[in-house]
């Protein structure tokens, strides 16, 4: 019999233990081990059974146990101490407050508040609002911002079914289920108006009625996370489904989700600031293109407040304070909608009234060579709405500049205005407590895990202690894997009598390699199966066996990815190897937390260069794991021989099968001849000393680089503070946004008359020598532009066989003379500092104090 209504009854705790409710309500517990230990002490068995969920724990503990704990003075004191610690964490000064108060130098200005938009957030398994790396990265970004005291607020959607739970059929085919999530049973509160009513956001929909969403608030340490929920009785059924599940539905469904995220998200921020008194965001950061419509909503707001401002000026105001991060190196990963559908939703009676739909469509138009005129590209709009943009590793920045060069066709890839900030991981979430204890035993501050000193302390840990700790972590992984394996086989229809072998699956004394990620084709889940007999020989080697722990989800609509999982699981089902290779279904945070520490080696074999960054290997490194990876993403940037092994990639080979064969063979060779021999090379005490030396070096040298706190500091210094500075400079400019927009329109209109008419050079003899100085005279026609509207530059450096400049340098010029007809002479002196082939050219670029990149207007004049 089904209930006609479902709701959650909250527990009433004894007064002396009421602070447990506060501790459970703030998600800091998910990365704060002392708080987790406090909850575990309430009922250790129940804590584990309930998936380490404090909210559920508080609701399941019987009254008699609460009475017993309330009478326990020591436990009451622990609760009070934990509450005081949380209060100090939430209100005390942290890095951002100390640095900004001290006037630490920063390009731009310390921002008052930053709004961070993402379609998914991976914070804890208790709040399953994530599918993979993008969400985990977003969760780590919020946690690190909280730890650093960065004034950030997150914005997303609340999906009633989350992503999906994965299981396997008897035939090893992926099965999906979508449990209903009850917000009342989750660490969420409903944002309310002063009169106690729900705060709501409304979006006009074509043909009506409005789409309405309430605002749920999660507390991620110091950072509020606003999640919009459309599954409320105010909406008709089709609108209640808008936030049903992550990355589900058809094209129109996705467009509605992204309108709610971007437009509704800005409106939710305004409501939150109005109700709570929180400062209005000064910088807006969109994590991938899904939230791009936030820029359109900000234009609408500005036009509503000042109708005479004009779209161009409003766009300039929004651009200066917006940061856009692209995460995909593959065009298929970008959301593209039919132009006609966007026009339907954003027309005169649409979601952002007052913003001409033609201007909106132009922002997302693929109006470049090779573009599709019939689509609206969310990434393209993201770049056009943001003055600053970045990729998520150095290599990914390079790939992104190539992918989007069409937006700036007059410039070489190196000058496309997309920089790079390499991702990082939140150490308190992912590092096993045993590793933290090793550093603490050497005198390191256990709360200082974002410092170099913390990771350097691990170099001093005795080799025997390191190795014993790794075995403990391996044992925990084996135990967890066996539980999951037994549960998976039971769901596949196996009886208990058939599962005795599971007790022998995996071995805590065998070299353990982990591989876990989403399962699109480019990540190559089954590369390890290119030669099944070779893999079988590695798994069953009589002296140096290897075991593999594999996990990953395919998108529900990706049958190709499901076939890859099926192929791997069928291999792992074979009786001769099933104790050496296991596939663990439902890869999520709860599975990952014992997996990373328990692995000795982390395997990553994407098709280069399609891994934007990849952070799972970072988590393994912090837990005493070595990487075995294609040089892609972050590994391409930070690889050192002491951190692990690079898998040679066969770049340039067009035959995909041949490339896979070559790279799989290289993988097998590395495991057989380098990785396994080093792992099993034991000293007299049974410790692989050379292996442990690599672990120590990885901790001390790589550890500080891969932290999310380093990443967030980089965002503050290189993107957030400059954006805040640009926003304030634009506001303080005498002509303001109107002046900048008018200047840009004037420059674009006059640019066809800008020419480099003649270039003269002198100062060097027929045989140029190092130390000589080349003098350049450039005669430039500017038409209606003034000399101060442009920068005339000499671009010089080494040249290749085709006379293309490589490793070019730029020297400025000085205005020397002006003539009739808008013609001018600019001079420069260029020192010849190195021998070899040398070349130069002259170019003219727009110049304005409020521009941040030479390519911003996309125009250049050359001889």
């Amino acid at each position: 019999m089904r209930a006609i209504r479902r709701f959650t009854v909250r527990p009433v705790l004894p007064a002396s233990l009421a602070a447990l409710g506060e501790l459970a309500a703030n998600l800091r517990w998910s990365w704060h081990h002392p708080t987790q230990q406090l909850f575990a002490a309430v009922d250790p068995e129940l804590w584990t059974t309930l998936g380490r969920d404090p909210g559920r724990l508080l609701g399941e503990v019987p009254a008699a146990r609460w009475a017993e704990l309330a009478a326990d003075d020591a436990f009451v004191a622990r609760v009070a101490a934990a509450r005081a610690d949380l209060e100090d964490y939430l209100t005390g000064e942290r890095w951002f407050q100390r640095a900004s108060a001290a006037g630490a130098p920063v390009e731009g200005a310390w921002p008052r508040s930053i709004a961070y938009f993402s379609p998914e957030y991976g914070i804890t398994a208790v709040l399953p609002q994530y599918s993979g790396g993008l969400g985990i990265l977003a969760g780590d970004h919020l946690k690190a911002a909280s730890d650093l005291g960065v004034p950030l607020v997150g914005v997303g959607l609340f999906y009633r079914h989350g992503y999906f739970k994965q299981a396997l059929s008897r035939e090893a085919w992926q099965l999906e289920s979508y449990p209903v999530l009850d917000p009342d049973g989750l660490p969420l509160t409903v944002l309310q108006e002063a009169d106690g009513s729900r705060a709501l956001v409304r979006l006009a929909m074509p043909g009506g009625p409005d789409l309405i969403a309430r605002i749920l608030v999660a507390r991620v340490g110091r950072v509020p996370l606003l999640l919009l929920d459309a599954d409320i009785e105010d909406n008709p059924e089709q609108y209640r489904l808008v936030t049903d599940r992550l990355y589900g539905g058809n094209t129109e469904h996705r467009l509605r989700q992204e309108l709610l995220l971007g437009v509704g998200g800005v409106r939710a921020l305004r409501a939150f600031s109005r109700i709570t008194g929180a400062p209005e965001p000064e910088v807006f950061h969109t994590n991938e293109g899904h939230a791009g419509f936030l820029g359109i909503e900000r234009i609408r707001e500005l036009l509503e407040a000042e109708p005479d401002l004009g779209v161009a000026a409003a766009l300039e105001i929004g651009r200066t304070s917006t940061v856009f991060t692209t995460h995909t190196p593959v065009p298929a990963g970008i959301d593209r909608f039919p132009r006609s559908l966007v026009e339907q939703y954003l027309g005169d009676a649409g979601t952002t009234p007052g913003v001409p739909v033609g201007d909106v469509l132009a922002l997302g138009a693929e109006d470049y060579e090779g573009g599709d005129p019939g689509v609206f590209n969310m990434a393209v709009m993201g770049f056009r709405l943001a003055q600053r943009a970045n990729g998520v590793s150095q290599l990914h920045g390079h790939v992104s500049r190539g992918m989007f060069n069409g937006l700036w066709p007059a410039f070489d890839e190196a000058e496309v205005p997309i920089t790079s900030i390499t991702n990082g991981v939140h150490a308190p979430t992912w590092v096993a407590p045993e590793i933290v204890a090793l550093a603490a035993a050497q005198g390191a501050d256990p709360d200082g895990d974002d410092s170099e000193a913390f990771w350097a302390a691990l170099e001093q840990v005795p080799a025997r202690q390191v190795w014993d700790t790794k075995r403990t972590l391996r044992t925990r992984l084996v135990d967890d894997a066996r539980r999951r394996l037994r549960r998976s086989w039971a769901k596949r229809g196996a009886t208990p009598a058939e599962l005795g072998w599971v007790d022998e699956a995996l071995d805590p004394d065998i070299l353990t390699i982990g591989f876990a990620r989403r399962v699109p084709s480019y990540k190559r889940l089954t590369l390890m199966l290119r030669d099944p007999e070779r893999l079988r020989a590695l798994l069953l080697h009589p002296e140096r066996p290897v075991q593999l722990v594999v996990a990953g989800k395919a998108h529900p609509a990706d049958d190709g990815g499901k076939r890859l999982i099926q192929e791997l699981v069928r291999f792992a089902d074979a009786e001769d190897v099933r104790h050496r290779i296991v596939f663990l279904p439902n890869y999520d945070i709860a599975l990952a937390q014992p997996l990373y520490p328990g692995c000795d080696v982390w395997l990553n074999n994407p098709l280069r260069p399609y891994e934007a960054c990849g952070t799972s290997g970072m988590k393994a490194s912090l837990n005493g794991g070595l990487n075995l990876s294609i040089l892609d993403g972050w590994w391409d940037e930070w690889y050192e021989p002491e951190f692990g092994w690079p898998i040679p990639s066969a770049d340039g080979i067009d035959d995909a099968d041949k490339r896979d064969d070559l790279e799989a063979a290289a993988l097998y060779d590395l495991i057989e001849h380098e990785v396994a021999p080093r792992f099993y090379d034991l000293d007299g005490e049974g410790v692989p000393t050379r292996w442990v030396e690599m672990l120590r070096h990885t901790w001390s040298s790589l550890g500080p680089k891969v932290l999310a706190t380093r990443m967030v500091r980089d965002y503050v210094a290189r993107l957030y503070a400059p954006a805040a500075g640009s926003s304030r400079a634009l506001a303080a400019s005498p002509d303001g946004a109107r002046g900048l927009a008018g200047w840009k329109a004037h420059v674009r209109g006059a640019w066809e008359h800008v020419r480099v008419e003649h270039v003269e050079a002198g100062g060097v003899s027929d045989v140029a020598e190092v130390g000589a100085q080349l003098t350049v005279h450039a005669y430039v026609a500017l038409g209606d532009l003034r000399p101060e509207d442009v920068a005339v530059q000499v671009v010089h450096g080494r040249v290749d066989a085709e006379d293309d400049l490589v490793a070019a340098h730029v020297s400025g010029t000085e205005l020397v003379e002006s003539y009739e007809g808008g013609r001018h002479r600019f001079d420069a002196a260029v020192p010849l500092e190195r021998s070899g082939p040398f070349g130069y050219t002259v170019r003219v670029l727009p110049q304005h104090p409020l521009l941040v990149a030479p390519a911003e207007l996309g125009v250049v004049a050359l001889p």
Side-chain angles (χ1 to χ4, degrees), residues 18 24 135 230 303 393 441 456 509 574 607 647 652 673 698 719 828 855:
L303 295 177
S393 69
D509 292 311
L607 193 64
I647 302 171
H673 301 300
T698 297
L719 294 176

Side-chain angles (χ1 to χ4, degrees), residues 72-325:
D72 183 339
D73 292 341
F75 186 80
V76 171
R78 285 181 66 186
V79 172
R83 172 65 183 82
D85 179 73
L86 176 62
E87 179 66 20
D88 180 66
Y89 175 86
L90 296 177
T91 60
E93 288 192 344
R94 305 192 76 78
W95 168 78
F96 186 94
Q97 287 72 35
R98 291 190 291 267
S100 56
V106 67
E107 179 189 344
W110 293 91
R112 289 183 288 271
S113 178
I114 303 122
Y116 181 89
F117 285 67
S118 177
E120 53 174 303
Y121 290 92
I123 297 165
T124 166
V126 169
L127 189 63
Q129 299 290 301
Y130 58 95
S131 71
L134 180 67
I136 297 298
L137 182 279
D140 281 8
H141 196 108
L142 265 56
K143 294 173 188 175
S146 175
D147 290 345
L148 294 171
V150 176
L152 188 141
V153 54
V155 181
L157 302 180
F158 177 76
Y159 304 97
R160 189 57 62 107
H161 297 282
Y163 192 37
F164 70 87
K165 285 189 175 293
Q166 179 196 49
L168 298 174
S169 72
R170 186 80 186 192
E171 294 74 30
W173 189 253
Q174 174 179 292
L175 304 174
E176 301 94 25
S177 61
Y178 294 87
V180 176
L181 302 175
D182 179 5
D184 291 337
L186 296 173
L188 301 168
T189 58
V190 179
L191 184 65
Q192 295 181 333
E193 301 285 356
D195 62 4
S197 63
R198 297 170 303 172
L200 300 173
V201 298
R202 297 174 181 272
L203 277 69
M205 294 282 106
D210 289 354
L211 169 62
I212 305 171
R214 64 175 178 169
I215 304 162
L216 303 175
V217 183
R219 295 288 172 178
V220 187
R222 299 168 68 113
V223 172
L225 170 59
L226 313 183
L227 300 173
L228 283 81
D229 178 17
D231 187 13
I232 57 177
E233 63 276 7
D234 309 65
N235 283 320
E237 183 64 21
Q238 70 270 26
Y239 290 174
R240 297 186 71 162
L241 295 176
V242 167
T243 52
D244 59 348
R245 60 184 63 169
L246 179 60
Y247 303 142
N250 60 19
T251 300
E252 185 171 13
H253 183 82
R254 290 288 297 276
L255 179 60
R256 286 175 173 174
Q257 285 188 333
E258 297 189 11
L259 285 168
L260 182 58
L261 174 61
V263 177
V266 173
R267 296 176 188 178
L269 283 167
R270 304 309 184 203
F272 182 76
S273 294
R274 173 176 54 79
I275 292 169
T276 66
E280 293 279 3
E282 192 172 18
V283 174
F284 289 76
H285 182 182
T286 175
N287 190 37
E288 254 307 340
H290 308 82
F293 289 117
L294 74 88
I296 308 300
E297 170 62 8
R298 295 184 64 206
I299 291 173
R300 186 204 64 77
E301 288 183 326
L302 290 163
L303 295 177
E304 182 179 66
E306 194 174 347
D308 295 335
L309 181 64
V311 172
L315 173 61
E316 294 303 330
I317 293 172
R319 287 186 73 252
T320 57
S321 57
T322 299
V323 173
F324 173 62
T325 299

Side-chain angles (χ1 to χ4, degrees), residues 42 55 74 79 117 173 183 246 350 462 465 553 655 665 735 741 749 754 798 831:
V42 172
V79 172
F117 285 67
W173 189 253
L246 179 60
Q465 197 172 352
K553 291 180 176 180
D655 185 330
D735 297 325
V754 176
R798 292 187 295 111

Side-chain angles (χ1 to χ4, degrees), residues 644-681:
W645 296 267
I647 302 171
S649 57
D651 295 7
I653 292 181
D654 294 330
D655 185 330
D657 285 335
K658 183 177 181 182
R659 178 171 180 171
D660 284 354
D661 287 340
L662 289 170
E663 295 182 5
L667 170 61
Y668 298 139
D669 286 344
L670 280 169
I671 295 173
E672 180 177 2
H673 301 300
E674 297 190 38
V675 180
R678 185 162 297 182
F679 180 88
Y680 289 106
D681 182 16

Side-chain angles (χ1 to χ4, degrees), residues 325-448:
T325 299
T326 176
H327 286 265
T328 179
V330 291
I334 296 169
D335 277 336
R336 301 161 84 223
F337 297 107
R339 279 174 60 92
S340 57
L341 186 64
V342 175
E343 185 174 14
Q344 176 186 350
Y345 274 82
L346 293 170
D348 293 339
T351 305
T352 53
V355 184
V357 69
D359 292 312
V360 175
L361 293 173
L363 289 166
E366 294 186 356
D367 53 359
Y368 44 81
E369 184 177 353
D372 183 344
V375 304
F376 184 92
N377 187 308
M378 294 296 289
V380 166
M381 180 176 68
F383 285 115
R384 287 174 172 156
L385 285 171
Q387 195 172 37
R388 291 169 175 82
N390 69 288
V392 293
S393 69
Q394 292 296 320
L395 179 58
H396 179 236
H398 166 69
V399 171
S400 297
R401 288 188 291 273
M403 277 179 64
F404 296 102
N405 208 155
L407 296 174
W408 299 272
F411 291 84
D412 292 339
E413 174 263 312
E415 288 193 301
V416 169
I418 303 173
T419 187
S420 296
I421 292 181
T422 303
N423 286 342
V425 299
H426 185 244
T429 295
W430 300 109
V431 176
E434 290 83 355
I435 302 296
V436 176
L438 288 179
Q442 300 300 314
D445 178 1
D447 293 325

Side-chain angles (χ1 to χ4, degrees), residues 428-772:
T429 295
W430 300 109
V431 176
E434 290 83 355
I435 302 296
V436 176
L438 288 179
Q442 300 300 314
D445 178 1
D447 293 325
D449 48 20
D450 69 326
S451 69
E452 292 187 10
F454 177 89
W455 300 100
L458 289 164
E459 273 202 305
Q460 310 306 316
V461 179
R464 176 80 263 168
Q465 197 172 352
V466 170
W467 197 236
D468 287 346
T469 299
K470 281 301 296 184
R471 190 184 189 282
T472 297
L473 297 174
R474 227 179 285 122
T475 300
R476 180 182 300 154
L477 170 60
V478 168
D479 292 342
D480 185 69
R482 288 174 180 171
R483 285 193 296 270
R484 292 176 182 274
L485 196 61
R486 185 178 297 277
R487 192 160 60 240
S488 174
W489 270 102
K491 290 182 178 179
R492 294 175 68 185
T495 65
E498 297 176 276
L499 297 179
W501 63 272
V502 172
D503 293 333
E504 305 300 322
L506 305 180
D507 184 327
D509 292 311
I510 286 179
L511 170 61
T512 304
I513 299 177
F515 182 101
R517 59 203 63 250
R518 291 184 302 110
V519 191
S521 59
Y522 75 87
K523 292 184 181 283
R524 299 194 293 184
L525 170 70
T526 56
L527 186 70
M528 64 184 77
L529 296 180
R530 293 297 292 186
D531 185 343
E533 292 311 310
R534 186 93 186 267
L535 176 59
R536 183 173 274 105
L538 291 171
L539 297 172
L540 302 177
H541 194 285
E543 297 173 357
R544 298 189 297 273
V546 171
Q547 60 191 11
L548 277 159
V549 182
V550 185
K553 291 180 176 180
H555 187 278
D558 182 10
D559 282 353
K562 294 180 183 181
R563 279 191 288 272
L564 296 178
I565 291 174
Q566 184 179 50
E567 181 183 353
L568 187 135
V569 174
R570 284 177 167 172
F571 177 87
D573 284 350
E575 290 188 12
D576 61 332
V577 296
R578 63 188 182 186
H579 62 303
R580 289 283 184 267
I581 178 171
V582 297
F583 180 88
L584 304 181
N586 205 41
Y587 180 40
D588 64 359
I589 291 174
L591 190 158
Q593 286 179 318
L595 176 60
Y596 299 132
C599 290
D600 302 294
V601 172
W602 195 258
L603 174 62
N604 189 26
N605 46 235
L607 193 64
R608 190 178 189 272
Y610 294 140
E611 182 82 290
C613 180
T615 58
S616 55
M618 296 178 176
K619 298 167 189 136
S621 296
L622 295 180
N623 282 287
L626 301 176
N627 277 267
L628 175 60
S629 176
I630 294 285
L631 287 171
D632 202 1
W634 75 272
W635 187 238
D636 177 78
E637 186 175 334
W638 286 329
Y639 160 73
E640 290 182 16
E642 294 297 300
F643 301 159
W645 296 267
I647 302 171
S649 57
D651 295 7
I653 292 181
D654 294 330
D655 185 330
D657 285 335
K658 183 177 181 182
R659 178 171 180 171
D660 284 354
D661 287 340
L662 289 170
E663 295 182 5
L667 170 61
Y668 298 139
D669 286 344
L670 280 169
I671 295 173
E672 180 177 2
H673 301 300
E674 297 190 38
V675 180
R678 185 162 297 182
F679 180 88
Y680 289 106
D681 182 16
L682 308 179
D683 65 10
E685 296 183 1
V687 176
T689 53
R690 183 70 184 91
W691 186 279
V692 172
E693 287 173 4
M694 293 177 70
L695 301 188
R696 289 167 167 161
H697 185 74
T698 297
W699 275 319
S700 63
S701 299
L702 182 61
K705 294 180 181 178
V706 302
L707 300 178
T709 43
R710 184 274 312 154
M711 172 188 72
V712 172
R713 284 193 184 102
D714 285 351
Y715 272 102
V716 170
R718 296 177 51 201
L719 294 176
Y720 296 162
S726 293
S727 180
R728 295 179 194 180
L730 180 62
S733 171
D735 297 325
R738 285 189 181 89
L740 178 59
W743 177 85
K744 285 186 174 183
H746 175 60
V747 169
R748 289 191 177 104
W751 199 256
E752 62 177 326
H753 302 295
V754 176
R755 299 185 305 277
V756 179
E757 293 189 325
H758 180 59
V759 179
E760 296 177 354
V764 295
S765 63
D766 291 340
V767 180
E769 295 181 340
V770 172

